[in-house]
Every structure is written in structure tokens, then in C-alpha cells.
Amino acid sequence: MINLTDEKMDKTTKKKKKTAECCGYPISIFFIVVNEFCERFSYYGMRAVLVLYFRYFLLWDDDLATSIYHAFVALCYLTPILGAIIADSWLGKFKTIIYLSIVYAIGQVTMAISTIHDITDANRDGTPDNFTFHIALSMLGLILIALGTGGIKPCVAAFGGDQFQEHQSRQLNTFFSVFYLCINAGSLLSTLITPVLRAQECGIHTQQQCYPLAFGVPAVLMVISLVVFIAGSGMYVKTDPEGNIMWSVCKCIGFAIKNRFRHRSSSYPKREHWMDWANEKYDKLLIAQIKMVLKVLFLYIPLPMFWTLFDQKGSRWTLQATTMSGDFGAFILQPDQMQTVNPILILTLVPIMDRLIFPLIQKCGLNFSPLKRMTVGMLFAAMAFVSAALVQIEIDKTLPNFPSSSESQLKVVNTYSTTLNVTISPNEHLLIESFGSSADYVTFDHQDITVSLNTNPVITKAFSLIKGGRQTLIIPSDPTVMYLKEDVKSKPREGKNAIRFVNGYTADLNITNLDSIEPSATTNYTLVNQGKRDFVLRHGEQWCEFSRKFGFGASYTFLIPSTVFSDDCESITEVEDMKPNSVHMALQIPQYFLITTGEVMFSVTGLQFSYSQAPKNMKSVLQAGWLCTNAVGNIIVLIVAELGKLPKQWAEYLLFASLLVAVSIIFSIMAYFYTYIDPAEIEAQVRKEQGLEPEEMEKETLEMEEKDEDQKNEQGVKQTKI
Ligand SMILES: CC(C)C[C@H](NC(=O)[C@@H](N)Cc1ccccc1)C(=O)O
């Protein structure tokens, strides 16, 4: 028998420290929930402005910006494994949270520094001169953030759970709900605040959008989160890691598989569980603990499907919102702000469920066990997608008839002085007033057309249309130079409006925020937000102001006549290329309500379940396993949504809903065969079977560790059963 050192003896005999309580709760959890609030503020605040930073500061295109964004989010949910291994095998949860929070805070500060354009703006033109510097710094920042946020995530929830004594199981469940409330309160505030900070102007040499402030505030919140966590230091129950547990787990599983394979002949008696094939070499307690973890991890296999649907709130549903109207009368909601409905609903639904619904169900004598709750949560998410499909069908009715990939569409705009009879070969005849347009787009299944105008003499010109495109034939004051201009063929992004001007004035014109336009020319599209917008038209000393109120997602061509200055811009006519969105964003509220109800049942319960079913020394590992289901869900969104696009969006929503229903049925069957366990009880029972008192058993665990260390030193010596 190896003698234990004093230090180790002390460690083995250490009991769970009794903590100061307030209303039945350990005071230490106050520091943990405040820490989580600040950390989530930091994370979601930074995330809220990240794509805009990529797009408008680093000047990446939409595809690159969204890909890097999704890769970052997926990384944030993969790193929990690393954090859990460090915590359970090496540093313990407390130290892991502190060290990785420092990494996280450094990452946030690096990110904030990378957004200061003045650092490399030597020529003071408002844009950075050295993009490589800003890209490198921001990528470094993001990697550190992903490492930090993901790494501490499984540890904080499990560390919070560790603060409770055995008699506080009711409070422990409430803790996970409060913890979830803090996540959502932090994320809600930051998603509202950081975009406002970004919209401010700041800078040393030139005033630009204030990204340093938008990223700086989350960095400060992360530092506060760390300080709050350290402040609670004296009050925490800190459980020490029990050696390199992950390594022991892997070796034990590997041995069981090898041993089973070696004894595959039917002459060997069967064993109750395949892990029992490790009995020859490994400790029964370790085997029992591995069995508990594997049972739960097996149950997790279908869970990523829930997240696959859940995570589409931020992508597909936001895109859906861009085709809807966000005018709520008293306020205007932008499409991406619709996502804040989720944390708002969490803040109301969690207390309602905890205080009202779940106790009511219990009073009715129904056993609404955690796994049943999770199954119902999945069904709610599936219903949310059915609701999204119904909304999509309503939207589709109002969408323009866009050309298919083999078709071409054409509209005609006439800025000639008289009404024109336009013939488009072979048999399209349009009568178009001066400063008017054809009623709608004409669809062609061929690209080569000939246009004839009934001018004197008749003007005829051949054109080749763009396959799958929408174009406008502009007939200027000199019809011989009529030309094609490409139009938008999908709803403008983020619910904005695409507008352009045709200059029918006899000289160059300057329009606010646009380049000067030559006579007869047409500007490219400019995106403008919803609401009233003013444009000043100028030529030399002459000017007039033109105002227009915009809705969401429309497209217009404004025709400027030669009389524009004499009638104070009154005669500018408007051609509606695409109607504004008419289906109201409020119709998305039912789907948000359903998915959030699903989230409360699924996610809050899953968090509690992962903690309660994990053996003491593998709590963080199971939390990480739980978070990994989210990472896999995110990856499925990336793959399936890109590869398996259905022609109709509503059909894709229904497909996802049906998949989740199928998965929830499989999960409910798996759950039926799952028996809830009390890991502490099982551990005690194994100890008893081994004829060990609890304390002796802990000593034995340490002996195992010592042996492990000795074995490392004496290479080649086989590990023996204790
Ligand atoms: C995987 C998690 C349990 C994620 C959890 N997220 C939430 O609680 C979301 N409801 C937060 C949110 C906030 C803003 C917009 C959408 C979602 C977490 O962050 O820990």
C-alpha cells in the first residue's frame, strides 16, 4: 500500500464545505449567476455586431462574413469539451473558470483593439490602410473568445450545481432556471445595447461607426464577470479534480472493447454490460461511473435535431422577417431585432413554467419527468416550424413572380416626351405614357428580343436579355439610345428598400449620397431604410428637395423630368419595381412563442438533467456533452440548409418539422427505457459492495491516481486492478 502524503490525506478527508445560506440558497451562487449574466452580455453583445464588422469594417462580402460568423459560433460550442477535460481532469472547475475567463477577456480586448481604424489609418481617409493587421488581430481575438466562452460554459453551470448540499435539491432545480434567466437577461440587454453603440460616431482623426465602443463594452463586461467570480472566491465549494479522469475513462473503455473482442467465442459467459469486460483490470467504481455517463451520452444522440431547428431562428427566420413589415405603429422593428423576442419570452416563460405550469401538472397527478419534458419541448419546436411554414405560405402569396433560371423578365420605362407604342417581338404590345412604365414585368422564355417604337421614323433595336434576370428597358428623351438596366430579382436584404433614379433632366444632377448622374442615365440601386427619407437634387445653383416615406422590402425607380426644378421636385414620378412587404412581422410571434416554450422545456431541463445524472467527477464532461449536441445541431444547419435546399421555403420548414417529430418519437422510446439514477447512491453502493467505507473509498481513488503516476514513472509496468 502506498503511503498518502499529508496533503493528499487532507484532500481525501475533505467533506463538502457547509456554505452560508440565504433563503435556503448558498450565497455563493449569487456570484455565479451575476458572473453568467455579465459573460452572456459580453458574448451576445459582441456577436450582435460581428457580421456588420466583417461586412462594413473589413469589407468582406456577405458570403465570407456569414461563413466566418457561423464557423465562430460552431467553435464556441465545440470548445466546451476542452474546458470540461481541463476542469475534471486537471485544474478543477474553479481554476479553469478563472484561467479561461482571463483568456476570454484578453480575446475581447484584442477584438475591441482590432476595430480601431485610426491605428492603421495613416492617410486619415476614415478607412484602415492595413487590413491584414485588423484581420489578423480580430481572428486572434475570436479564437481566444471561442476558447474562453466555450471552455468555461460547461464549468460554470456544473460549478453552480456543486454549491448545493444534498438537502437542497429543490433549490438546485430553481438554480438552473435562474441561471437560464440570467443568460437571457444578459443576452437581451446586450443585443439591444451594442447595435446602438455601434451606430454612434467616434474616432481620433475621422469620425466613423463606433465599433471600438460596441466591442469595448462587452470586453469591460467580461472583465467585470471575472472580478465578480473572483470576489466570491472565499464562499465557494470547490471540488478537486480526481486525476486525469478522462484518460482513465478512455483507457478503461478501450480495455473493455479489446477484452470483449478477445473473448468473442461463445464459450465465454456473457456479461451484463459490455463495460463489465473491463472488470479484470479496472476499478468497479470507475466502470459504474463510465456506465452512467455512456447511458446519458447515448440518450443525447437524437438531440442535435432540436438545435438544428432552434438555431434557424437566427438565420432562416430572420430572412423570413426581411420579407415582412415591421411597422408596429408605436415603434418599428427591424428584421434582425425580431430575435430579441426569444430572450424576452424566456424571461416570462421560465417563471410561469416553474411556478405555475409544472406544479399544476404535478397536482393533476401526472408524472412530467425531465425526459418527458424534453420530448414535449421537441414537439413544441416542431410546431413552431409548422407555424413558420404557414406564415411562409402567406408571404409567398404576396411575393413578386420572380423569373426561373431559364426565364427573363422585362419592364419598360418611358421618359420620352410622348406616349409610346412599344412592340417587343414577336407579339408583345405595350402602350406606355410619357414618364410612365409598363404595368408589370413581361416574362420571356427566350433571351433575344427586338424592340420597336412607334416614333417617326420607327426605331427598332435588338437586345439580349439576362437568363434568370429582371431588367428594365429605359427609353430616354432620345429614344435611339434606349438601353437595358438590370433590376433587383430578390427582396432587398434586411428589409431595406432598393431605389434608383433616371435622369430625364437636360444636364448632370447631384442627388444626396449618390454620384452625379448624366442626362438620360440611370443610377445603380441604393439601399434605404424604412421611414421618411429626404433627397436633395442639385444642378449648379438650382436645387429642390424630394421626400418619400418607405415601407419594408420594396424597390422603386424614380423618374426625374426636365421640369424638376421649376415645380420644386413635385413632378418626379415613381415606378414600383417591387411592392413593399405586406405580411406583418407580428405573425412570427406564434412561432417564436412555440420555439421558446420548447426551449424552456428542452434546454432548461436538459441542463438540470445533465448535472443530476453525472457522477461527481464527470459533471463538467456531461455538461460539455450536452453543449456538444448544440454544436452538432449548428453544423447540421450549415450542411443541410446549404446542400438540401428545397424549391419552396415552406416545404423546407415542414420537412424540418417532420424530421423533429420523427426524432422526438425515437427519443421518447429511448427515454422510456432510461432509468433515472442518483449517481451518489450508485457510487456509495459500489463502494459498499467493495467493502469500503466512503472515506476509505476516496483514499482508494487517490491510490489509483498515485499508481497511475507511479506507472508513468516506471514505464512498461502494467496497471493492476485495485
Ligand atoms: C445552448 C444554450 C443553452 C444556449 C443558451 N441560449 C439561450 O438561452 C438563448 N435563449 C439566448 C438567445 C439570446 C438572444 C437571441 C437568441 C437566443 C446560452 O446562450 O447559453
Side-chain angles (χ1 to χ4, degrees):
M1 175 81 70
I2 301 148
N3 280 331
L4 299 173
T5 61
D6 284 350
E7 192 201 339
K8 289 218 164 175
M9 273 299 277
D10 187 40
K11 194 162 95 175
T12 57
T13 50
K14 192 154 60 183
K15 283 258 182 279
K16 209 170 187 183
K17 185 168 114 183
K18 188 131 179 64
T19 52
E21 285 182 18
C22 173
C23 314
Y25 290 86
I27 294 185
S28 55
I29 60 151
F30 166 78
F31 295 91
I32 295 171
V33 291
V34 174
N35 159 274
E36 183 67 11
F37 170 87
C38 297
E39 188 277 324
R40 288 289 92 182
F41 184 112
S42 176
Y43 173 74
Y44 280 102
M46 179 272 311
R47 237 178 73 162
V49 285
L50 193 58
V51 175
L52 296 179
Y53 165 74
F54 289 156
R55 187 69 192 80
Y56 302 111
F57 186 97
L58 297 182
L59 304 179
W60 289 351
D61 62 28
D62 277 355
D63 287 344
L64 183 62
T66 40
S67 304
I68 300 288
Y69 172 81
H70 283 298
F72 167 70
V73 174
L75 190 64
C76 290
Y77 285 103
L78 283 175
T79 45
I81 298 280
L82 201 70
I85 293 175
I86 297 175
D88 281 352
S89 301
W90 179 28
L91 290 177
K93 297 180 197 92
F94 177 71
K95 282 189 191 153
T96 307
I97 295 171
I98 295 205
Y99 294 152
L100 287 180
S101 294
I102 293 172
V103 171
Y104 190 171
I106 294 173
Q108 287 282 31
V109 172
T110 310
M111 191 67 210
I113 293 172
S114 83
T115 66
I116 305 174
H117 67 274
D118 290 299
I119 297 179
T120 66
D121 188 11
N123 60 8
R124 301 188 179 185
D125 66 350
T127 44
D129 298 340
N130 185 352
F131 277 100
T132 318
F133 169 82
H134 292 276
I135 292 172
L137 211 59
S138 55
M139 291 305 110
L140 173 69
L142 288 181
I143 291 171
L144 295 179
I145 293 170
L147 210 67
T149 185
I152 63 172
K153 195 133 187 60
C155 305
V156 179
F159 189 64
D162 288 350
Q163 305 310 307
F164 291 82
Q165 310 283 321
E166 259 162 43
H167 67 275
Q168 293 171 313
S169 61
R170 191 183 52 79
Q171 286 89 341
L172 178 64
N173 279 345
T174 311
F175 160 73
F176 284 112
S177 299
V178 174
F179 188 75
Y180 215 83
L181 285 179
C182 286
I183 290 177
N184 285 276
S187 60
L188 172 63
L189 279 184
S190 66
T191 356
L192 292 173
I193 293 171
T194 43
V196 176
L197 299 178
R198 196 246 331 151
Q200 310 301 309
E201 296 218 321
C202 64
I204 303 165
H205 304 311
T206 55
Q207 297 291 303
Q208 299 295 324
Q209 294 229 341
C210 206
Y211 287 104
L213 189 61
F215 284 98
V217 170
V220 171
L221 260 290
M222 191 53 223
V223 175
I224 296 177
S225 156
L226 178 62
V227 171
V228 169
F229 187 73
I230 294 174
S233 182
M235 297 186 197
Y236 299 134
V237 171
K238 297 172 198 158
T239 44
D240 291 317
E242 295 185 2
N244 196 345
I245 187 78
M246 284 317 286
W247 182 228
S248 307
V249 168
C250 293
K251 280 195 302 185
C252 184
I253 293 176
F255 179 80
I257 295 171
K258 259 195 292 175
N259 203 25
R260 172 75 190 87
F261 191 70
R262 258 190 253 131
H263 300 91
R264 61 185 174 283
S265 144
S266 54
S267 55
Y268 294 104
K270 282 213 169 97
R271 296 190 185 179
E272 205 183 310
H273 190 285
W274 65 268
M275 268 310 297
D276 293 332
W277 287 97
N279 273 344
E280 281 89 331
K281 192 170 165 185
Y282 286 88
D283 177 60
K284 279 217 167 62
L285 179 64
L286 180 67
I287 295 171
Q289 288 169 332
I290 295 177
K291 280 185 195 168
M292 293 183 231
V293 170
L294 289 181
K295 238 172 82 171
V296 179
L297 288 182
F298 176 69
L299 207 57
Y300 283 174
I301 294 172
L303 303 190
M305 199 62 212
F306 173 87
W307 298 115
T308 302
L309 273 75
F310 183 79
D311 289 327
Q312 291 190 43
K313 290 192 290 48
S315 49
R316 289 264 181 269
W317 287 13
T318 305
L319 285 178
Q320 186 182 59
T322 64
T323 59
M324 304 174 86
S325 163
D327 191 346
F328 281 78
F331 60 94
I332 302 290
L333 207 63
Q334 296 302 327
D336 49 350
Q337 286 176 327
M338 196 63 197
Q339 275 197 69
T340 51
V341 173
N342 169 267
I344 293 173
L345 282 174
I346 287 276
L347 293 179
T348 42
L349 283 176
V350 168
I352 293 177
M353 293 281 184
D354 265 11
R355 303 268 151 211
L356 206 75
I357 311 287
F358 294 149
L360 212 69
I361 294 176
Q362 210 173 5
K363 268 212 175 114
C364 296
L366 295 171
N367 170 21
F368 204 28
S369 65
L371 293 178
K372 278 188 196 156
R373 277 185 212 181
M374 288 169 76
T375 313
V376 175
M378 285 182 176
L379 292 175
F380 267 99
M383 286 195 286
F385 266 61
V386 174
S387 168
L390 295 176
V391 171
Q392 191 61 47
I393 290 170
E394 278 311 301
I395 293 171
D396 286 352
K397 285 184 199 159
T398 67
L399 284 182
N401 176 26
F402 292 118
S404 69
S405 56
S406 60
E407 291 173 337
S408 304
Q409 291 184 331
L410 185 72
K411 183 172 211 168
V412 182
V413 159
N414 176 15
T415 62
Y416 184 54
S417 49
T418 58
T419 300
L420 285 174
N421 221 321
V422 182
T423 307
I424 306 171
S425 66
N427 50 13
E428 215 53 66
H429 302 283
L430 306 166
L431 187 69
I432 307 171
E433 284 176 6
S434 173
F435 282 83
S437 75
S438 51
D440 202 355
Y441 285 88
V442 182
T443 304
F444 298 92
D445 52 13
H446 55 275
Q447 279 65 57
D448 294 325
I449 54 161
T450 309
V451 179
S452 303
L453 308 180
N454 67 329
T455 43
N456 192 7
V458 170
I459 300 168
T460 304
K461 212 168 169 181
F463 292 97
S464 183
L465 300 175
I466 300 172
K467 221 176 183 179
R470 274 189 149 192
Q471 286 163 286
T472 295
L473 176 71
I474 310 278
I475 305 174
S477 51
D478 173 7
T480 57
V481 292
M482 60 183 157
Y483 60 93
L484 289 177
K485 189 83 187 165
E486 198 173 343
D487 300 357
V488 276
K489 56 169 189 170
S490 59
K491 281 276 175 186
R493 64 182 166 83
E494 295 159 24
K496 295 188 182 199
N497 300 280
I499 62 159
R500 61 184 177 182
F501 293 86
V502 181
N503 185 3
Y505 187 63
T506 45
D508 283 8
L509 279 178
N510 275 308
I511 306 177
T512 338
N513 295 331
L514 297 170
D515 288 338
S516 118
I517 356 169
E518 289 173 6
S520 301
T522 304
T523 63
N524 288 328
Y525 281 111
T526 303
L527 292 181
V528 293
N529 278 328
Q530 176 280 342
K532 188 169 166 278
R533 305 278 157 240
D534 303 323
F535 303 91
V536 177
L537 277 68
R538 228 177 255 285
H539 171 70
E541 293 294 294
Q542 304 185 80
W543 67 276
C544 65
E545 197 176 32
F546 161 66
S547 291
R548 173 76 169 77
K549 199 166 178 255
F550 295 99
F552 287 84
S555 164
Y556 301 98
T557 302
F558 293 107
L559 312 179
I560 306 168
S562 53
T563 53
V564 62
F565 294 120
S566 51
D567 57 24
D568 203 18
C569 279
E570 289 288 317
S571 52
I572 295 178
T573 47
E574 163 193 304
V575 174
E576 192 179 68
D577 298 333
M578 203 181 292
K579 284 191 181 348
N581 304 341
S582 54
V583 178
H584 203 275
M585 265 188 223
L587 283 189
Q588 277 196 326
I589 291 175
Q591 71 205 53
Y592 270 97
F593 177 79
L594 288 167
I595 201 117
T596 311
T597 310
E599 182 187 355
V600 175
M601 297 211 173
F602 182 88
S603 187
V604 182
T605 314
L607 198 67
Q608 293 163 359
F609 178 80
S610 308
Y611 184 83
S612 71
Q613 299 299 289
K616 192 177 98 209
N617 52 355
M618 295 183 210
K619 299 263 184 214
S620 312
V621 170
L622 257 197
Q623 286 292 327
W626 164 249
L627 292 167
C628 254
T629 63
N630 186 297
V632 178
N634 255 295
I635 294 168
I636 299 177
V637 178
L638 279 177
I639 301 170
V640 179
E642 284 315 311
L643 294 185
K645 254 194 186 125
L646 291 180
K648 289 282 172 210
Q649 186 56 59
W650 61 263
E652 192 178 295
Y653 287 142
L654 285 188
L655 175 73
F656 276 117
S658 337
L659 283 177
L660 190 57
V661 171
V663 165
S664 65
I665 294 171
I666 297 172
F667 180 71
S668 65
I669 297 169
M670 290 164 78
Y672 179 78
F673 291 103
Y674 182 88
T675 25
Y676 293 91
I677 51 158
D678 178 352
E681 212 170 88
I682 294 186
E683 284 165 352
Q685 202 181 321
V686 176
R687 282 174 190 145
K688 216 168 155 197
E689 277 166 22
Q690 290 181 319
L692 294 167
E693 286 306 309
E695 274 185 18
E696 261 182 88
M697 190 56 220
E698 288 197 10
K699 275 185 205 165
E700 196 197 15
T701 314
L702 276 169
E703 282 176 32
M704 271 176 67
E705 280 174 43
E706 293 265 358
K707 276 200 172 169
D708 250 5
E709 272 163 33
D710 290 347
Q711 277 163 9
K712 266 182 227 148
N713 296 336
E714 303 160 23
Q715 275 181 2
V717 178
K718 271 193 178 172
Q719 189 175 353
T720 50
K721 190 181 170 222
I722 301 172

